[in-house]
Amino acid sequence: MSLLLDGLAASSGIAIAPAYLLVGPDLSIKKQHIADKNHEVARLRDSFALTTKELQAIRQRAHQDLGHQAVAVVDAQLAMVNDPVLLTTIERLIDKHSYTAEWGVKLATDNYLALFERNNDDYLNSRILAVRDVYKRVISHLLGVKLPDPGALDHRAILVAPNITPTDMAQLDRRYVVGLVTDSGGRTSHFSIMSKTLALPVVVGTNTATKKIKTGDLLIVDGIHGKVIVNPTEQQLEHYRLLAGEFAREQQAWGALRDQHTASQDGRKYEVAANVGALSDIAIARDHGAEGIGLLRTEFLYMNQTELPSEEKQFNAYRQFVSGMDQQRVVARTLDIGGDKRLGMLKLPREENPYLGFRAIRIGLAEPTILRLQLRALLRASAYGRLAIMFPMIATPEEFTQAREMLDDEKRKLSRAGVAVADNIEVGMMLEVPSAAVMADVFAPDVDFFSIGSNDLIQYLFAADRGNSRVSYLYQELHPAVLRLVKRVIDAAHAEGKWVGMCGEMAGNPLATPLLTAMGLDEFSMNSSQILPIRSLISHLNNRQLQPLVHRALAAHSAREVEMLVKEYVPMLRKD
């Protein structure tokens, strides 16, 4: 008898294959005392050394296959394993109490996790899985137990796990892994965002997959609708084989759009660009039909470094992005750290609410040497293509004015020194803070463009951490409150002849696309694997015919009501 599990669609596609459970062995330990403390310390150090070696190999694979987000998480794990304070703390526990190395590691890890919960620190919360991953690796070496290796698969399979860490993803052998299913996770979690890079069907948040599924069970993973069917009937298999065929034909049709300009049926042109964060992403973006880079995350140059990257190092990297896109626009976001991203070389204060604290442009304005160095490198790179610069987390007009004055000042200095700088650099801001969205008409005369960072804008609008599973239901991209704010921004910008883009997850949501195009959004920026499907959808839309949809959606009372309206007006989105 078949079983249906509901979850969230994190990456589109259909997969049919046997299940492979990625569930770890029993790593439970008991409090024990030992006589030979020196031997225990030696065991501890050996386990840390083996874990470091293991993570370094995983980091190399992550860098090649998954880009900066996965690398950043693995780097955080490496930093933890190589933290002399952590090692010394555990050694002291062994020395003082004659604990086994295993028990010392457990106590130290429990202290880490207790700190996370006590401080309600979003950055630390985002790294809980990373810490637990380090813990299980160290303990497995101490116990001599082998962890499941997703890279050991030698046949086609769908991985089923409580959760998938970046280290798990880096080990995947893409010849055999055809889909992923997890108990936990949301559509905007780090794993969900990274999984799109793999172009595999993924369903997250099933809650019970690892309890209901056994290794060898035949599965259908429906990454379009967020469903998993366990041991399907012949009728279900036939239905999904047809769906998989349709999806494959759709992908082939999408490929034909790669070298065309994006336009709706009524002739309005749009730009569909890529979010990137590593040099390897350039080729991926171009291969997936990106019409530019709508978000260059410059943090990749700073992560896991002991000192700030030099102007020359930054310039060489930015130049490769700009020249690599052949005169297509590259929108570079200045350093956006704080919140869930920290730098080892820059000691930031520990804060109760880091997402609402000292981050992004606030750090840049307080530490002008860092921002000015980056601006000089970006300005120099502008001579090699088409560059736009945007400042993140702007909340007041004064912040944008300060940042713009720094940029103009550095541009004058470079010009006086005879350094080539482009004349047509567009300067804009990310619109993530509700106060800025409400005041968009005040900002619009002074900016060249807005880029709506929907992920943060939505969580700030609803006062709900999108990474917190207890309140993630409030992360509603289609809610009328979000749509009203987005339309307000677009109207304010267009009144001043300025363009508006969006670079959050909402930009790649097909259900939001008809609304965004009809409201006049000019540029969409997303993970590369989403670009061609969204370009194809736009090509089937007629914005004049969708104006009644916009009016009704803005007057709706809920996100669910808006979703039903969209499907009513755009039948091709009603895929059952």
Side-chain angles (χ1 to χ4, degrees), residues 143-164:
L143 295 178
V145 175
K146 187 174 176 59
L147 294 175
D149 179 6
L153 267 179
D154 60 0
H155 61 276
R156 289 180 77 257
I158 292 164
L159 290 187
V160 181
N163 53 65
I164 301 284

Side-chain angles (χ1 to χ4, degrees), residues 86-132:
L86 174 63
L87 191 61
T88 301
T89 299
I90 300 172
E91 288 177 353
R92 285 175 178 167
L93 287 169
I94 294 171
D95 182 60
K96 183 177 180 180
H97 302 286
S98 298
Y99 289 145
T100 60
E102 290 91 335
W103 193 252
V105 171
K106 182 182 185 305
L107 290 179
T109 304
D110 287 348
N111 285 337
Y112 263 86
L113 296 175
L115 178 68
F116 300 160
E117 294 169 2
R118 186 165 61 249
N119 284 348
N120 191 30
D121 186 318
D122 287 331
Y123 163 74
L124 294 174
N125 284 335
S126 73
R127 293 296 188 266
I128 284 178
L129 284 180
V131 172
R132 287 178 175 157

Side-chain angles (χ1 to χ4, degrees), residues 50-83 123 126-131 133-135 137 164-172 190 194 303-305 340 342:
L50 288 168
T51 300
T52 297
K53 184 177 179 181
E54 197 172 58
L55 289 173
Q56 285 172 338
I58 291 170
R59 185 189 189 280
Q60 184 61 34
R61 292 184 63 175
H63 178 73
Q64 293 171 352
D65 298 337
L66 296 174
H68 82 289
Q69 288 180 308
V71 170
V73 178
V74 179
D75 282 343
Q77 292 174 296
L78 279 166
M80 181 180 174
V81 176
N82 292 312
D83 182 0
Y123 163 74
S126 73
R127 293 296 188 266
I128 284 178
L129 284 180
V131 172
D133 188 68
V134 169
Y135 170 79
R137 290 180 186 282
I164 301 284
T165 67
T167 53
D168 291 329
M169 292 182 69
Q171 296 176 84
L172 300 184
H190 286 296
M194 282 188 291
M303 306 303 288
N304 197 40
Q305 302 296 317
D340 66 341
R342 292 175 183 258

Side-chain angles (χ1 to χ4, degrees), residues 3-16 158 160 179-182 201-206 209 213 218-232 236 239-240 243 560 563 567 575-576:
L3 174 69
L4 174 66
L5 302 179
D6 286 314
L8 299 171
S11 184
S12 290
I14 304 290
I16 304 173
I158 292 164
V160 181
L180 301 169
V181 178
T182 68
V202 179
V203 175
V204 302
T206 62
I213 299 171
L218 184 62
L219 301 184
I220 296 174
V221 176
D222 180 351
I224 300 170
H225 305 98
K227 298 180 183 299
V228 179
I229 302 176
V230 187
N231 295 320
Q236 289 170 323
H239 172 70
Y240 274 97
L243 274 184
R560 177 61 180 157
E563 179 181 342
K567 290 179 178 179
K575 293 184 178 180
D576 300 318

